[in-house]
């Protein structure tokens, strides 16, 4: 029996795939920094390991953990979030197929589907994912193969009804994929809501320390897992042993980190929504957010990401982003440190001129786990005087 069978989330995050080393008793499994493995005899492998592109014990431990965290059967680990997405798309799509995705997804996801796979003959339609009727209308019977859901979305923090979208997608035989990066499995588990695949940029909250890049997929379908694992092996976008180990180390504190991220972000969102320089705060933890009640039902807390629109337009947004001190101006998100991002020219620059273009008065915050009083003071000094 697995040591994590029937255990709760924090226990799973610490123990899944983390059996102690039987030869030494080391509590932390070693990093298997090796490219190849000695065989018992020709074609007879030790533990199933032959060559580290095909499998590595450190990567196996991460994949076991990913599956357990999301309540799934199969976990796969990749060199980046986009590598995970690309492998899934390659496993499912052929030229002529169609993808429906939200009109507020990560710019890199849209770029991958629209430009990389678009050049291969895959078509896509962007739609307001909170409008189930619009989503259903966008599905082309027999041609739409994937419904790509991101909730909360990036950067406008839209909340999509996963169970409702699953019902729509499955009625048309469409695979429902949920990017769970912003929420993390500590706050939301899409497979339990009926989704077919969960995707993560493990660079973000799972790794949690801004020191490793990675991606992950979790699913229950054996056939889809086999096809995706073949792409992982044949194309080789695998996570390296040290990267997998760092991600595992980060995951062990995921739940406690998400509690602090969420509480800090909610405090900051409430502070910002009353500031005269702010036009709007995008955070599902606020009662004023249109997706608040839905987020309460499908998430256990509201996460550490929020965005804000400035009344003063682009110039005010830029000045704020460049005036922060504890909130460092940088790409990415989900680390223990707080970051500020100007999406229009950073994470979402690739979607300028499309339906996904982000307004120039928007700033995105990744709220870290620092002392809340220090974060509030940093915001106050960067904002115009009230």
């Amino acid at each position: 029996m697995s040591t994590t069978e029937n255990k709760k989330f924090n226990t799973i995050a610490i123990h899944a795939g983390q059996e102690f080393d039987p030869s030494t008793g080391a509590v932390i499994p070693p990093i298997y920094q090796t490219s190849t493995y000695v065989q018992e005899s020709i074609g007879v492998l030790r533990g199933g390991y032959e060559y580290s592109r095909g499998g590595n014990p450190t990567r196996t431990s991460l994949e076991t953990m990913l599956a357990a965290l999301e309540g799934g059967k199969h976990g796969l680990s990749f060199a980046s979030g986009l590598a995970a997405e690309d492998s899934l798309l390659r496993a499912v799509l052929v030229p002529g197929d169609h993808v429906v995705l939200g009109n507020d997804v990560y710019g890199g996801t849209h770029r991958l589907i629209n430009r990389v796979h678009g050049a291969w003959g895959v078509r896509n339609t962007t739609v307001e994912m909170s409008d189930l009727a619009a989503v259903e209308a966008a599905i082309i019977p027999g041609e739409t193969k994937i419904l790509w859901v991101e909730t909360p979305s990036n950067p406008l923090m839209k909340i999509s009804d996963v169970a409702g979208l699953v019902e729509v997608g499955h009625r048309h035989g469409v695979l429902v994929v949920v990017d769970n990066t912003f929420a993390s499995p500590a706050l939301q588990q899409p497979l339990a809501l009926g989704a077919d695949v969960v995707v993560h940029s493990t660079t973000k909250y799972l790794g949690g320390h801004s020191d490793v890049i990675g991606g992950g997929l979790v699913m229950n379908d054996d056939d889809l897992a086999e096809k995706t694992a073949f792409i992982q092996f044949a194309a080789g976008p695998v996570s390296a042993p040290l990267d997998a180990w760092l991600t595992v180390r980060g995951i062990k504190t995921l739940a406690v980190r998400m509690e602090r991220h969420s509480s800090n972000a909610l405090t900051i969102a409430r502070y910002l929504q009353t500031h005269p320089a702010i036009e709007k705060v995008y955070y599902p933890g606020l009662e004023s957010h249109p997706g608040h009640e839905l987020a309460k039902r499908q998430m256990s807390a509201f996460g550490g990401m929020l965005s804000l629109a400035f009344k003063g337009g682009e110039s005010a947004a830029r000045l704020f982003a460049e005036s922060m001190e504890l909130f460092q101006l940088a790409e990415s998100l989900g680390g223990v440190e707080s970051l500020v991002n100007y999406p229009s020219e950073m994470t979402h620059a690739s979607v300028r001129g499309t339906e996904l273009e982000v307004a120039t008065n928007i700033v995105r915050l990744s709220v870290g786990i620092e002392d809340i009083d220090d974060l509030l003071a940093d915001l106050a000094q960067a904002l115009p005087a009230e």
Side-chain angles (χ1 to χ4, degrees):
M1 177 182 291
S2 167
T3 57
T4 58
E5 189 172 335
N6 300 320
K7 299 298 190 296
K8 295 187 177 180
F9 188 87
N10 279 293
T11 304
I12 292 170
I14 292 170
H15 292 285
Q18 295 297 292
E19 291 76 15
F20 67 85
D21 178 40
S23 61
T24 66
V27 171
I28 303 300
I31 303 171
Y32 287 87
Q33 194 66 48
T34 184
S35 61
T36 193
Y37 307 83
V38 174
Q39 300 184 14
E40 294 278 5
S41 58
I42 297 173
V44 179
L45 310 181
R46 299 172 188 265
Y49 295 105
E50 178 182 23
Y51 182 64
S52 276
R53 173 164 45 79
N56 177 283
T58 311
R59 192 167 86 236
T60 298
S61 73
L62 173 56
E63 293 178 333
T64 300
M65 182 174 279
L66 289 173
L69 290 174
E70 288 285 3
K73 186 175 180 182
H74 304 283
L76 296 169
S77 174
F78 298 85
S80 70
L82 284 171
E85 294 183 8
D86 183 55
S87 296
L88 177 65
L89 293 168
R90 289 174 183 270
V92 174
L93 303 174
V94 297
D97 285 345
H98 178 248
V99 178
V100 174
L101 67 160
N103 60 7
D104 185 47
V105 298
Y106 167 51
T109 297
H110 181 265
R111 180 179 56 217
L112 174 66
I113 293 173
N114 190 54
R115 296 180 61 183
V116 177
H117 286 267
W120 187 47
V122 171
R123 295 162 297 140
N124 73 86
T125 299
T126 56
V127 67
E128 175 55 58
M129 277 286 166
S130 63
D131 185 342
L132 296 181
V135 172
E136 186 152 25
I139 292 173
I140 304 172
E143 297 180 18
T144 302
K145 298 298 170 64
I146 291 177
L147 181 58
W148 194 281
V149 184
E150 191 177 288
T151 183
S153 68
N154 183 4
L156 298 182
M157 305 302 296
K158 296 179 180 181
I159 301 298
S160 298
D161 182 351
V162 176
L165 290 166
V166 166
E167 183 180 350
V168 170
H170 288 180
R171 188 159 60 242
H172 294 276
V174 176
L175 194 76
V176 179
V177 178
V178 177
D179 185 335
N180 202 29
T181 297
F182 268 26
S184 89
L187 306 185
Q188 178 175 266
Q189 296 185 327
L191 294 183
L193 297 171
D196 299 297
V197 183
V198 172
V199 60
H200 282 281
S201 170
T202 59
T203 308
K204 312 305 194 293
Y205 286 109
L206 291 175
H209 293 79
S210 301
D211 57 6
V212 61
I213 291 177
L217 298 171
V218 181
M219 62 198 77
N220 285 317
D221 185 88
D222 295 342
D223 183 58
L224 180 59
E226 183 179 355
K227 290 178 180 177
T228 310
F230 173 76
I231 298 295
Q232 181 193 44
F233 167 73
V238 297
S239 51
L242 179 58
D243 293 347
W245 187 88
L246 286 169
T247 305
V248 166
R249 185 183 65 169
I251 287 171
K252 291 181 180 184
T253 59
L254 175 63
V256 292
R257 285 189 285 106
M258 293 308 295
E259 289 175 7
R260 177 63 71 85
H261 285 299
S262 297
S263 63
N264 277 358
L266 181 58
T267 300
I268 287 171
R270 287 173 173 163
Y271 164 70
L272 290 171
Q273 74 173 342
T274 63
H275 196 283
I278 304 301
E279 177 182 295
K280 185 174 183 179
V281 176
Y282 301 87
Y283 185 67
L286 296 175
E287 289 79 1
S288 59
H289 189 287
H292 176 69
E293 291 301 320
L294 174 58
K296 281 175 63 176
R297 292 198 300 272
Q298 65 185 27
M299 300 173 69
S300 59
F302 303 104
M305 299 300 302
L306 62 93
S307 294
L308 45 148
F310 281 81
K311 292 179 180 177
E314 179 178 351
S315 60
R318 284 175 171 271
L319 180 61
F320 172 80
E322 294 176 347
S323 298
M324 306 289 277
E325 295 172 358
L326 283 178
F327 283 85
Q328 300 172 93
L329 182 64
E331 299 269 358
S332 199
L333 59 101
V336 293
E337 67 290 312
S338 293
L339 300 177
V340 58
N341 173 277
Y342 185 63
S344 178
E345 293 194 19
M346 295 173 71
T347 52
H348 289 68
S350 66
V351 296
R352 283 200 298 261
T354 75
E355 186 186 355
L356 282 75
E357 182 173 5
V358 179
T360 56
N361 69 331
I362 298 289
V363 170
R364 190 188 74 184
L365 300 179
S366 174
V367 180
I369 65 172
E370 300 95 336
D371 189 286
I372 187 60
D373 290 337
D374 293 328
L375 295 179
L376 291 170
D378 191 31
L379 290 164
Q381 66 81 28
L383 288 163
E386 297 188 40

